[in-house]
PDB file of all heavy atoms in Angstrom:
ATOM      1  N   ASP A1756     -16.835  17.882 -14.066  1.00 98.00           N
ATOM      2  CA  ASP A1756     -16.653  18.149 -12.711  1.00 98.00           C
ATOM      3  C   ASP A1756     -15.343  17.582 -12.213  1.00 98.00           C
ATOM      4  O   ASP A1756     -14.365  17.383 -13.028  1.00 98.00           O
ATOM      5  CB  ASP A1756     -17.832  17.595 -11.847  1.00 98.00           C
ATOM      6  CG  ASP A1756     -18.011  18.440 -10.655  1.00 98.00           C
ATOM      7  OD1 ASP A1756     -17.406  18.162  -9.562  1.00 98.00           O
ATOM      8  OD2 ASP A1756     -18.996  19.390 -10.605  1.00 98.00           O
ATOM      9  N   ASN A1757     -15.215  17.217 -10.910  1.00 98.00           N
ATOM     10  CA  ASN A1757     -13.864  16.938 -10.371  1.00 98.00           C
ATOM     11  C   ASN A1757     -13.306  15.657 -10.958  1.00 98.00           C
ATOM     12  O   ASN A1757     -12.033  15.539 -11.228  1.00 98.00           O
ATOM     13  CB  ASN A1757     -13.874  16.846  -8.840  1.00 98.00           C
ATOM     14  CG  ASN A1757     -14.963  15.947  -8.333  1.00 98.00           C
ATOM     15  OD1 ASN A1757     -14.909  14.726  -8.425  1.00 98.00           O
ATOM     16  ND2 ASN A1757     -15.901  16.477  -7.595  1.00 98.00           N
ATOM     17  N   LYS A1758     -14.102  14.589 -11.241  1.00 98.00           N
ATOM     18  CA  LYS A1758     -13.571  13.443 -11.765  1.00 98.00           C
ATOM     19  C   LYS A1758     -13.187  13.436 -13.309  1.00 98.00           C
ATOM     20  O   LYS A1758     -12.246  12.910 -13.749  1.00 98.00           O
ATOM     21  CB  LYS A1758     -14.548  12.168 -11.508  1.00 98.00           C
ATOM     22  CG  LYS A1758     -14.576  11.827 -10.057  1.00 98.00           C
ATOM     23  CD  LYS A1758     -15.302  10.506  -9.739  1.00 98.00           C
ATOM     24  CE  LYS A1758     -15.127  10.140  -8.303  1.00 98.00           C
ATOM     25  NZ  LYS A1758     -13.794   9.705  -7.968  1.00 98.00           N
ATOM     26  N   GLY A1759     -14.061  14.126 -14.001  1.00 98.00           N
ATOM     27  CA  GLY A1759     -13.729  14.359 -15.453  1.00 98.00           C
ATOM     28  C   GLY A1759     -12.482  15.141 -15.542  1.00 98.00           C
ATOM     29  O   GLY A1759     -11.600  14.866 -16.415  1.00 98.00           O
ATOM     30  N   LEU A1760     -12.286  16.134 -14.711  1.00 98.00           N
ATOM     31  CA  LEU A1760     -11.053  17.035 -14.685  1.00 98.00           C
ATOM     32  C   LEU A1760      -9.805  16.132 -14.284  1.00 98.00           C
ATOM     33  O   LEU A1760      -8.694  16.263 -14.913  1.00 98.00           O
ATOM     34  CB  LEU A1760     -11.270  18.175 -13.859  1.00 98.00           C
ATOM     35  CG  LEU A1760     -10.046  19.150 -13.705  1.00 98.00           C
ATOM     36  CD1 LEU A1760      -9.536  19.620 -15.075  1.00 98.00           C
ATOM     37  CD2 LEU A1760     -10.375  20.356 -12.878  1.00 98.00           C
ATOM     38  N   ALA A1761     -10.008  15.333 -13.194  1.00 98.00           N
ATOM     39  CA  ALA A1761      -8.933  14.514 -12.697  1.00 98.00           C
ATOM     40  C   ALA A1761      -8.415  13.570 -13.791  1.00 98.00           C
ATOM     41  O   ALA A1761      -7.247  13.358 -13.988  1.00 98.00           O
ATOM     42  CB  ALA A1761      -9.405  13.698 -11.516  1.00 98.00           C
ATOM     43  N   ALA A1762      -9.401  12.922 -14.568  1.00 98.00           N
ATOM     44  CA  ALA A1762      -8.999  12.055 -15.714  1.00 98.00           C
ATOM     45  C   ALA A1762      -8.190  12.807 -16.699  1.00 98.00           C
ATOM     46  O   ALA A1762      -7.132  12.239 -17.200  1.00 98.00           O
ATOM     47  CB  ALA A1762     -10.165  11.452 -16.279  1.00 98.00           C
ATOM     48  N   ASP A1763      -8.623  14.005 -17.101  1.00 98.00           N
ATOM     49  CA  ASP A1763      -7.907  14.772 -18.028  1.00 98.00           C
ATOM     50  C   ASP A1763      -6.540  15.153 -17.581  1.00 98.00           C
ATOM     51  O   ASP A1763      -5.495  15.045 -18.352  1.00 98.00           O
ATOM     52  CB  ASP A1763      -8.730  16.007 -18.422  1.00 98.00           C
ATOM     53  CG  ASP A1763      -8.104  16.860 -19.471  1.00 98.00           C
ATOM     54  OD1 ASP A1763      -8.087  16.449 -20.653  1.00 98.00           O
ATOM     55  OD2 ASP A1763      -7.590  17.921 -19.177  1.00 98.00           O
ATOM     56  N   LEU A1764      -6.430  15.599 -16.345  1.00 98.00           N
ATOM     57  CA  LEU A1764      -5.110  16.021 -15.861  1.00 98.00           C
ATOM     58  C   LEU A1764      -4.168  14.801 -15.718  1.00 98.00           C
ATOM     59  O   LEU A1764      -2.921  15.036 -16.122  1.00 98.00           O
ATOM     60  CB  LEU A1764      -5.228  16.617 -14.430  1.00 98.00           C
ATOM     61  CG  LEU A1764      -6.006  17.953 -14.365  1.00 98.00           C
ATOM     62  CD1 LEU A1764      -6.212  18.288 -12.898  1.00 98.00           C
ATOM     63  CD2 LEU A1764      -5.240  19.004 -15.086  1.00 98.00           C
ATOM     64  N   PHE A1765      -4.581  13.675 -15.335  1.00 98.00           N
ATOM     65  CA  PHE A1765      -3.766  12.419 -15.333  1.00 98.00           C
ATOM     66  C   PHE A1765      -3.269  12.104 -16.659  1.00 98.00           C
ATOM     67  O   PHE A1765      -2.080  11.825 -16.852  1.00 98.00           O
ATOM     68  CB  PHE A1765      -4.502  11.329 -14.609  1.00 98.00           C
ATOM     69  CG  PHE A1765      -3.637  10.162 -14.179  1.00 98.00           C
ATOM     70  CD1 PHE A1765      -3.387  10.005 -12.829  1.00 98.00           C
ATOM     71  CD2 PHE A1765      -3.163   9.291 -15.087  1.00 98.00           C
ATOM     72  CE1 PHE A1765      -2.597   9.020 -12.364  1.00 98.00           C
ATOM     73  CE2 PHE A1765      -2.276   8.253 -14.606  1.00 98.00           C
ATOM     74  CZ  PHE A1765      -2.065   8.073 -13.320  1.00 98.00           C
ATOM     75  N   GLU A1766      -4.212  12.074 -17.589  1.00 98.00           N
ATOM     76  CA  GLU A1766      -3.760  11.756 -19.032  1.00 98.00           C
ATOM     77  C   GLU A1766      -2.736  12.658 -19.527  1.00 98.00           C
ATOM     78  O   GLU A1766      -1.750  12.194 -20.112  1.00 98.00           O
ATOM     79  CB  GLU A1766      -5.003  11.712 -19.916  1.00 98.00           C
ATOM     80  CG  GLU A1766      -6.033  10.534 -19.591  1.00 98.00           C
ATOM     81  CD  GLU A1766      -7.344  10.696 -20.248  1.00 98.00           C
ATOM     82  OE1 GLU A1766      -7.566  11.812 -20.843  1.00 98.00           O
ATOM     83  OE2 GLU A1766      -8.173   9.783 -20.212  1.00 98.00           O
ATOM     84  N   ARG A1767      -2.948  13.964 -19.403  1.00 97.00           N
ATOM     85  CA  ARG A1767      -1.995  14.931 -19.865  1.00 97.00           C
ATOM     86  C   ARG A1767      -0.611  14.801 -19.205  1.00 97.00           C
ATOM     87  O   ARG A1767       0.398  15.098 -19.850  1.00 97.00           O
ATOM     88  CB  ARG A1767      -2.510  16.329 -19.720  1.00 97.00           C
ATOM     89  CG  ARG A1767      -3.756  16.648 -20.570  1.00 97.00           C
ATOM     90  CD  ARG A1767      -4.406  17.992 -20.246  1.00 97.00           C
ATOM     91  NE  ARG A1767      -5.630  18.255 -20.887  1.00 97.00           N
ATOM     92  CZ  ARG A1767      -5.734  18.857 -22.108  1.00 97.00           C
ATOM     93  NH1 ARG A1767      -4.630  19.263 -22.713  1.00 97.00           N
ATOM     94  NH2 ARG A1767      -6.920  18.924 -22.605  1.00 97.00           N
ATOM     95  N   GLN A1768      -0.651  14.405 -17.933  1.00 97.00           N
ATOM     96  CA  GLN A1768       0.615  14.298 -17.249  1.00 97.00           C
ATOM     97  C   GLN A1768       1.521  13.023 -17.718  1.00 97.00           C
ATOM     98  O   GLN A1768       2.698  13.133 -17.678  1.00 97.00           O
ATOM     99  CB  GLN A1768       0.341  14.125 -15.788  1.00 97.00           C
ATOM    100  CG  GLN A1768       1.568  14.280 -14.912  1.00 97.00           C
ATOM    101  CD  GLN A1768       1.186  14.422 -13.354  1.00 97.00           C
ATOM    102  OE1 GLN A1768       0.087  14.821 -13.076  1.00 97.00           O
ATOM    103  NE2 GLN A1768       2.118  14.054 -12.480  1.00 97.00           N
ATOM    104  N   VAL A1769       0.792  12.063 -18.153  1.00 98.00           N
ATOM    105  CA  VAL A1769       1.643  10.746 -18.506  1.00 98.00           C
ATOM    106  C   VAL A1769       1.724  10.478 -19.919  1.00 98.00           C
ATOM    107  O   VAL A1769       2.622   9.745 -20.349  1.00 98.00           O
ATOM    108  CB  VAL A1769       1.031   9.526 -17.750  1.00 98.00           C
ATOM    109  CG1 VAL A1769       1.060   9.819 -16.143  1.00 98.00           C
ATOM    110  CG2 VAL A1769      -0.310   9.217 -18.248  1.00 98.00           C
ATOM    111  N   ARG A1770       0.803  11.008 -20.773  1.00 96.00           N
ATOM    112  CA  ARG A1770       0.842  10.616 -22.167  1.00 96.00           C
ATOM    113  C   ARG A1770       2.100  11.011 -22.824  1.00 96.00           C
ATOM    114  O   ARG A1770       2.650  12.148 -22.603  1.00 96.00           O
ATOM    115  CB  ARG A1770      -0.390  11.311 -22.924  1.00 96.00           C
ATOM    116  CG  ARG A1770      -1.671  10.617 -22.724  1.00 96.00           C
ATOM    117  CD  ARG A1770      -2.761  11.226 -23.595  1.00 96.00           C
ATOM    118  NE  ARG A1770      -3.966  10.369 -23.603  1.00 96.00           N
ATOM    119  CZ  ARG A1770      -5.088  10.677 -24.268  1.00 96.00           C
ATOM    120  NH1 ARG A1770      -5.072  11.802 -25.082  1.00 96.00           N
ATOM    121  NH2 ARG A1770      -6.132   9.913 -24.208  1.00 96.00           N
ATOM    122  N   GLY A1771       2.600  10.046 -23.652  1.00 88.00           N
ATOM    123  CA  GLY A1771       3.845  10.321 -24.449  1.00 88.00           C
ATOM    124  C   GLY A1771       5.113  10.163 -23.704  1.00 88.00           C
ATOM    125  O   GLY A1771       6.281  10.216 -24.324  1.00 88.00           O
ATOM    126  N   ARG A1772       5.078   9.760 -22.412  1.00 95.00           N
ATOM    127  CA  ARG A1772       6.307   9.544 -21.691  1.00 95.00           C
ATOM    128  C   ARG A1772       6.842   8.149 -22.181  1.00 95.00           C
ATOM    129  O   ARG A1772       6.176   7.388 -22.842  1.00 95.00           O
ATOM    130  CB  ARG A1772       6.107   9.484 -20.216  1.00 95.00           C
ATOM    131  CG  ARG A1772       5.563  10.885 -19.676  1.00 95.00           C
ATOM    132  CD  ARG A1772       5.704  10.953 -18.206  1.00 95.00           C
ATOM    133  NE  ARG A1772       5.178   9.789 -17.402  1.00 95.00           N
ATOM    134  CZ  ARG A1772       4.965   9.835 -16.133  1.00 95.00           C
ATOM    135  NH1 ARG A1772       5.059  10.918 -15.406  1.00 95.00           N
ATOM    136  NH2 ARG A1772       4.496   8.676 -15.519  1.00 95.00           N
ATOM    137  N   GLU A1773       8.033   7.809 -21.750  1.00 94.00           N
ATOM    138  CA  GLU A1773       8.692   6.603 -22.173  1.00 94.00           C
ATOM    139  C   GLU A1773       7.878   5.358 -21.749  1.00 94.00           C
ATOM    140  O   GLU A1773       7.873   4.358 -22.503  1.00 94.00           O
ATOM    141  CB  GLU A1773      10.041   6.540 -21.565  1.00 94.00           C
ATOM    142  CG  GLU A1773      10.933   5.374 -22.055  1.00 94.00           C
ATOM    143  CD  GLU A1773      12.339   5.374 -21.452  1.00 94.00           C
ATOM    144  OE1 GLU A1773      12.718   6.394 -20.926  1.00 94.00           O
ATOM    145  OE2 GLU A1773      12.989   4.287 -21.650  1.00 94.00           O
ATOM    146  N   GLY A1774       7.256   5.418 -20.612  1.00 96.00           N
ATOM    147  CA  GLY A1774       6.531   4.172 -20.094  1.00 96.00           C
ATOM    148  C   GLY A1774       5.062   4.135 -20.452  1.00 96.00           C
ATOM    149  O   GLY A1774       4.361   3.216 -19.988  1.00 96.00           O
ATOM    150  N   GLU A1775       4.537   5.194 -21.123  1.00 98.00           N
ATOM    151  CA  GLU A1775       3.106   5.158 -21.446  1.00 98.00           C
ATOM    152  C   GLU A1775       2.849   5.443 -22.900  1.00 98.00           C
ATOM    153  O   GLU A1775       3.700   6.026 -23.626  1.00 98.00           O
ATOM    154  CB  GLU A1775       2.425   6.394 -20.604  1.00 98.00           C
ATOM    155  CG  GLU A1775       2.288   6.098 -19.092  1.00 98.00           C
ATOM    156  CD  GLU A1775       3.550   6.489 -18.375  1.00 98.00           C
ATOM    157  OE1 GLU A1775       4.404   7.164 -18.968  1.00 98.00           O
ATOM    158  OE2 GLU A1775       3.712   6.124 -17.187  1.00 98.00           O
ATOM    159  N   THR A1776       1.676   5.019 -23.351  1.00 97.00           N
ATOM    160  CA  THR A1776       1.310   5.165 -24.720  1.00 97.00           C
ATOM    161  C   THR A1776       0.754   6.632 -24.981  1.00 97.00           C
ATOM    162  O   THR A1776       0.400   7.283 -24.009  1.00 97.00           O
ATOM    163  CB  THR A1776       0.203   4.138 -25.136  1.00 97.00           C
ATOM    164  OG1 THR A1776      -0.902   4.339 -24.241  1.00 97.00           O
ATOM    165  CG2 THR A1776       0.745   2.782 -25.038  1.00 97.00           C
ATOM    166  N   ASP A1777       0.748   7.028 -26.174  1.00 97.00           N
ATOM    167  CA  ASP A1777       0.289   8.328 -26.528  1.00 97.00           C
ATOM    168  C   ASP A1777      -1.248   8.459 -26.321  1.00 97.00           C
ATOM    169  O   ASP A1777      -1.733   9.598 -26.218  1.00 97.00           O
ATOM    170  CB  ASP A1777       0.638   8.736 -28.000  1.00 97.00           C
ATOM    171  CG  ASP A1777       2.187   8.940 -28.120  1.00 97.00           C
ATOM    172  OD1 ASP A1777       2.858   9.106 -27.131  1.00 97.00           O
ATOM    173  OD2 ASP A1777       2.638   8.896 -29.276  1.00 97.00           O
ATOM    174  N   ASP A1778      -1.905   7.361 -26.352  1.00 97.00           N
ATOM    175  CA  ASP A1778      -3.421   7.425 -26.180  1.00 97.00           C
ATOM    176  C   ASP A1778      -3.795   6.761 -24.830  1.00 97.00           C
ATOM    177  O   ASP A1778      -4.850   6.205 -24.709  1.00 97.00           O
ATOM    178  CB  ASP A1778      -4.090   6.635 -27.328  1.00 97.00           C
ATOM    179  CG  ASP A1778      -3.527   5.170 -27.525  1.00 97.00           C
ATOM    180  OD1 ASP A1778      -2.627   4.789 -26.743  1.00 97.00           O
ATOM    181  OD2 ASP A1778      -4.107   4.464 -28.399  1.00 97.00           O
ATOM    182  N   PHE A1779      -2.946   6.898 -23.841  1.00 98.00           N
ATOM    183  CA  PHE A1779      -3.197   6.464 -22.503  1.00 98.00           C
ATOM    184  C   PHE A1779      -4.596   7.003 -21.993  1.00 98.00           C
ATOM    185  O   PHE A1779      -4.909   8.134 -22.237  1.00 98.00           O
ATOM    186  CB  PHE A1779      -2.097   6.949 -21.579  1.00 98.00           C
ATOM    187  CG  PHE A1779      -2.167   6.469 -20.176  1.00 98.00           C
ATOM    188  CD1 PHE A1779      -1.408   5.523 -19.720  1.00 98.00           C
ATOM    189  CD2 PHE A1779      -3.012   7.136 -19.230  1.00 98.00           C
ATOM    190  CE1 PHE A1779      -1.379   5.016 -18.404  1.00 98.00           C
ATOM    191  CE2 PHE A1779      -3.077   6.748 -17.920  1.00 98.00           C
ATOM    192  CZ  PHE A1779      -2.232   5.609 -17.514  1.00 98.00           C
ATOM    193  N   VAL A1780      -5.362   6.183 -21.337  1.00 98.00           N
ATOM    194  CA  VAL A1780      -6.677   6.576 -20.858  1.00 98.00           C
ATOM    195  C   VAL A1780      -6.797   6.335 -19.397  1.00 98.00           C
ATOM    196  O   VAL A1780      -6.380   5.356 -18.863  1.00 98.00           O
ATOM    197  CB  VAL A1780      -7.770   5.697 -21.551  1.00 98.00           C
ATOM    198  CG1 VAL A1780      -9.124   6.102 -21.051  1.00 98.00           C
ATOM    199  CG2 VAL A1780      -7.805   5.842 -23.067  1.00 98.00           C
ATOM    200  N   ALA A1781      -7.199   7.427 -18.704  1.00 98.00           N
ATOM    201  CA  ALA A1781      -7.402   7.370 -17.223  1.00 98.00           C
ATOM    202  C   ALA A1781      -8.896   7.510 -16.934  1.00 98.00           C
ATOM    203  O   ALA A1781      -9.518   8.546 -17.315  1.00 98.00           O
ATOM    204  CB  ALA A1781      -6.627   8.481 -16.535  1.00 98.00           C
ATOM    205  N   GLY A1782      -9.444   6.572 -16.202  1.00 98.00           N
ATOM    206  CA  GLY A1782     -10.874   6.573 -15.808  1.00 98.00           C
ATOM    207  C   GLY A1782     -10.937   6.798 -14.288  1.00 98.00           C
ATOM    208  O   GLY A1782     -10.376   5.993 -13.503  1.00 98.00           O
ATOM    209  N   PHE A1783     -11.619   7.831 -13.854  1.00 98.00           N
ATOM    210  CA  PHE A1783     -11.855   8.145 -12.447  1.00 98.00           C
ATOM    211  C   PHE A1783     -13.243   7.903 -12.100  1.00 98.00           C
ATOM    212  O   PHE A1783     -14.152   8.693 -12.215  1.00 98.00           O
ATOM    213  CB  PHE A1783     -11.425   9.540 -12.143  1.00 98.00           C
ATOM    214  CG  PHE A1783      -9.975   9.761 -11.989  1.00 98.00           C
ATOM    215  CD1 PHE A1783      -9.119   9.592 -13.046  1.00 98.00           C
ATOM    216  CD2 PHE A1783      -9.383  10.009 -10.731  1.00 98.00           C
ATOM    217  CE1 PHE A1783      -7.710   9.677 -12.837  1.00 98.00           C
ATOM    218  CE2 PHE A1783      -8.054  10.218 -10.422  1.00 98.00           C
ATOM    219  CZ  PHE A1783      -7.228  10.019 -11.618  1.00 98.00           C
ATOM    220  N   SER A1784     -13.592   6.562 -11.676  1.00 98.00           N
ATOM    221  CA  SER A1784     -14.918   6.083 -11.473  1.00 98.00           C
ATOM    222  C   SER A1784     -15.331   6.468 -10.049  1.00 98.00           C
ATOM    223  O   SER A1784     -14.584   6.719  -9.144  1.00 98.00           O
ATOM    224  CB  SER A1784     -14.870   4.546 -11.626  1.00 98.00           C
ATOM    225  OG  SER A1784     -16.226   4.088 -11.588  1.00 98.00           O
ATOM    226  N   GLN A1785     -16.728   6.471  -9.918  1.00 98.00           N
ATOM    227  CA  GLN A1785     -17.265   6.791  -8.606  1.00 98.00           C
ATOM    228  C   GLN A1785     -17.234   5.445  -7.771  1.00 98.00           C
ATOM    229  O   GLN A1785     -16.988   4.403  -8.275  1.00 98.00           O
ATOM    230  CB  GLN A1785     -18.686   7.282  -8.740  1.00 98.00           C
ATOM    231  CG  GLN A1785     -18.805   8.791  -8.948  1.00 98.00           C
ATOM    232  CD  GLN A1785     -18.418   9.602  -7.784  1.00 98.00           C
ATOM    233  OE1 GLN A1785     -17.907   9.119  -6.772  1.00 98.00           O
ATOM    234  NE2 GLN A1785     -18.422  10.903  -7.930  1.00 98.00           N
ATOM    235  N   ALA A1786     -17.568   5.607  -6.462  1.00 98.00           N
ATOM    236  CA  ALA A1786     -17.661   4.476  -5.528  1.00 98.00           C
ATOM    237  C   ALA A1786     -18.939   4.777  -4.705  1.00 98.00           C
ATOM    238  O   ALA A1786     -19.913   5.285  -5.224  1.00 98.00           O
ATOM    239  CB  ALA A1786     -16.407   4.370  -4.748  1.00 98.00           C
ATOM    240  N   ASN A1787     -18.860   4.334  -3.464  1.00 98.00           N
ATOM    241  CA  ASN A1787     -19.981   4.542  -2.571  1.00 98.00           C
ATOM    242  C   ASN A1787     -19.996   5.898  -1.962  1.00 98.00           C
ATOM    243  O   ASN A1787     -19.661   6.225  -0.911  1.00 98.00           O
ATOM    244  CB  ASN A1787     -20.027   3.484  -1.478  1.00 98.00           C
ATOM    245  CG  ASN A1787     -18.732   3.334  -0.727  1.00 98.00           C
ATOM    246  OD1 ASN A1787     -17.644   3.389  -1.430  1.00 98.00           O
ATOM    247  ND2 ASN A1787     -18.765   3.119   0.585  1.00 98.00           N
ATOM    248  N   MET A1788     -20.490   6.880  -2.855  1.00 98.00           N
ATOM    249  CA  MET A1788     -20.386   8.301  -2.536  1.00 98.00           C
ATOM    250  C   MET A1788     -21.731   8.869  -2.204  1.00 98.00           C
ATOM    251  O   MET A1788     -22.016  10.108  -2.263  1.00 98.00           O
ATOM    252  CB  MET A1788     -19.820   9.034  -3.716  1.00 98.00           C
ATOM    253  CG  MET A1788     -20.378   8.750  -5.053  1.00 98.00           C
ATOM    254  SD  MET A1788     -22.051   9.446  -5.340  1.00 98.00           S
ATOM    255  CE  MET A1788     -22.612   8.445  -6.729  1.00 98.00           C
ATOM    256  N   GLY A1789     -22.792   8.065  -1.865  1.00 98.00           N
ATOM    257  CA  GLY A1789     -24.117   8.654  -1.617  1.00 98.00           C
ATOM    258  C   GLY A1789     -24.188   9.766  -0.626  1.00 98.00           C
ATOM    259  O   GLY A1789     -24.929  10.714  -0.841  1.00 98.00           O
ATOM    260  N   ASP A1790     -23.345   9.769   0.326  1.00 98.00           N
ATOM    261  CA  ASP A1790     -23.394  10.823   1.392  1.00 98.00           C
ATOM    262  C   ASP A1790     -22.016  11.562   1.418  1.00 98.00           C
ATOM    263  O   ASP A1790     -21.681  12.288   2.355  1.00 98.00           O
ATOM    264  CB  ASP A1790     -23.705  10.255   2.769  1.00 98.00           C
ATOM    265  CG  ASP A1790     -22.904   9.007   3.145  1.00 98.00           C
ATOM    266  OD1 ASP A1790     -21.965   8.633   2.386  1.00 98.00           O
ATOM    267  OD2 ASP A1790     -23.079   8.540   4.204  1.00 98.00           O
ATOM    268  N   ALA A1791     -21.166  11.375   0.324  1.00 98.00           N
ATOM    269  CA  ALA A1791     -19.841  11.972   0.299  1.00 98.00           C
ATOM    270  C   ALA A1791     -19.809  13.211  -0.571  1.00 98.00           C
ATOM    271  O   ALA A1791     -20.109  13.111  -1.719  1.00 98.00           O
ATOM    272  CB  ALA A1791     -18.727  10.928  -0.164  1.00 98.00           C
ATOM    273  N   SER A1792     -19.518  14.337   0.031  1.00 98.00           N
ATOM    274  CA  SER A1792     -19.452  15.643  -0.668  1.00 98.00           C
ATOM    275  C   SER A1792     -18.006  16.071  -0.905  1.00 98.00           C
ATOM    276  O   SER A1792     -17.225  15.928  -0.042  1.00 98.00           O
ATOM    277  CB  SER A1792     -20.194  16.700   0.143  1.00 98.00           C
ATOM    278  OG  SER A1792     -20.005  17.965  -0.410  1.00 98.00           O
ATOM    279  N   PRO A1793     -17.726  16.685  -2.044  1.00 98.00           N
ATOM    280  CA  PRO A1793     -16.444  17.287  -2.271  1.00 98.00           C
ATOM    281  C   PRO A1793     -16.220  18.662  -1.600  1.00 98.00           C
ATOM    282  O   PRO A1793     -15.181  19.217  -1.551  1.00 98.00           O
ATOM    283  CB  PRO A1793     -16.421  17.410  -3.820  1.00 98.00           C
ATOM    284  CG  PRO A1793     -17.873  17.704  -4.171  1.00 98.00           C
ATOM    285  CD  PRO A1793     -18.623  16.928  -3.266  1.00 98.00           C
TER     286      PRO A1793
END
Side-chain angles (χ1 to χ4, degrees):
D1756 212 278
N1757 54 66
K1758 287 190 176 290
L1760 178 55
D1763 182 72
L1764 292 175
F1765 196 105
E1766 289 167 352
R1767 291 174 188 269
Q1768 190 168 336
V1769 304
R1770 278 185 172 181
R1772 299 193 314 194
E1773 185 177 348
E1775 289 84 14
T1776 57
D1777 291 343
D1778 55 358
F1779 184 101
V1780 177
F1783 278 68
S1784 186
Q1785 275 293 359
N1787 48 320
M1788 52 70 201
D1790 50 4
S1792 170

